[in-house]
Amino acid sequence: MRAYYFDNQPGDQRLAHDSSRPVDAETLKNLKVESWHMPVTEGFEEKLNAIASERGYKNRDVITVSKEGLGDQYEEKIKAFYEEHIHEDEEIRYILSGGGFFDVRQAFTDAWIRLAVSAGDLLVIPAGIYHRFTVDKRNMTQAVRLFKDEPKWSAIYRGAKSDANTHRVEYLKSVAAAA
């Protein structure tokens, strides 16, 4: 995974939008964003299972974000994924193939940090952080999604309701304490 500040230039969201300003591991740690790289080779399931067990994840599914995988819902889903939102659970994804970008808002500066992911990257985005996702120019990402309970994807889009959300408030307190 590669992390850098988003360039905020207009244009296709699937392009790199690389500002040439890298983001270091300490900045991501302070934002409570975690990542690992585990090549998608024989035995990766054991490592993934160990992480899932350690973090209390009981369920998983595989999602293919592509025109073929989502059919008529592709454009609608891509727009929904790219709209700024939070979740009340951490979002954990292990990329099996393809690639994409998770953008996370840096607390207190509101700058976008772009996380370029590809096969073998495992990313944990904490509950309460504003973020969005898009595929890259390959138009395909296949990922394992891990869940503590039943598989769900429930977004709370940015606004007064999300700003007052308990998980958002707790997230901000946790990153303020780390600063």
Side-chain angles (χ1 to χ4, degrees):
M1 183 192 81
R2 197 167 65 85
Y4 54 89
Y5 286 98
F6 186 81
D7 68 8
N8 292 314
Q9 297 299 311
D12 188 340
Q13 69 195 36
R14 299 169 308 141
L15 299 177
H17 287 278
D18 191 342
S19 66
S20 298
R21 293 175 37 227
V23 173
D24 62 21
E26 188 67 24
T27 299
L28 295 178
K29 180 180 175 186
N30 290 341
L31 293 173
K32 311 295 185 201
V33 173
E34 299 178 68
S35 66
W36 295 263
H37 185 78
M38 302 181 315
V40 184
T41 57
E42 189 174 324
F44 82 85
E45 293 94 345
E46 286 180 32
K47 293 176 188 171
L48 189 59
N49 289 342
I51 292 168
S53 177
E54 177 183 306
R55 298 182 82 90
Y57 286 92
K58 298 176 185 85
N59 289 300
R60 68 185 67 189
D61 67 8
V62 175
I63 184 169
T64 302
V65 180
S66 69
K67 291 178 184 176
E68 295 77 22
L70 295 173
D72 293 340
Q73 296 180 354
Y74 178 73
E75 293 298 329
E76 179 184 325
K77 288 288 188 186
I78 290 298
K79 287 177 186 171
F81 293 157
Y82 200 63
E83 192 172 335
E84 187 173 4
H85 61 278
I86 64 171
H87 299 291
E88 293 185 337
D89 296 314
E90 33 178 53
E91 184 168 324
I92 184 166
R93 303 293 184 260
Y94 176 63
I95 309 302
L96 295 171
S97 62
F101 303 105
F102 284 89
D103 298 335
V104 296
R105 283 279 190 195
Q106 187 171 20
F108 311 115
T109 69
D110 233 17
W112 280 117
I113 294 174
R114 179 152 270 201
L115 308 169
V117 295
S118 58
D121 289 333
L122 177 73
L123 181 64
V124 179
I125 297 176
I129 190 173
Y130 283 117
H131 67 283
R132 61 190 183 190
F133 171 77
T134 188
V135 293
D136 60 19
K137 61 187 175 184
R138 292 175 280 186
N139 282 315
M140 195 284 287
T141 301
Q142 185 178 51
V144 175
R145 303 186 305 175
L146 300 171
F147 304 94
K148 290 190 179 193
D149 295 309
E150 292 301 312
K152 67 176 181 169
W153 187 86
S154 182
I156 302 167
Y157 295 101
R158 189 165 189 173
K161 183 179 175 184
S162 64
D163 286 342
N165 181 282
T166 303
H167 298 278
R168 175 69 180 161
V169 172
E170 289 302 315
Y171 171 73
L172 290 174
K173 284 180 188 175
S174 74
V175 294

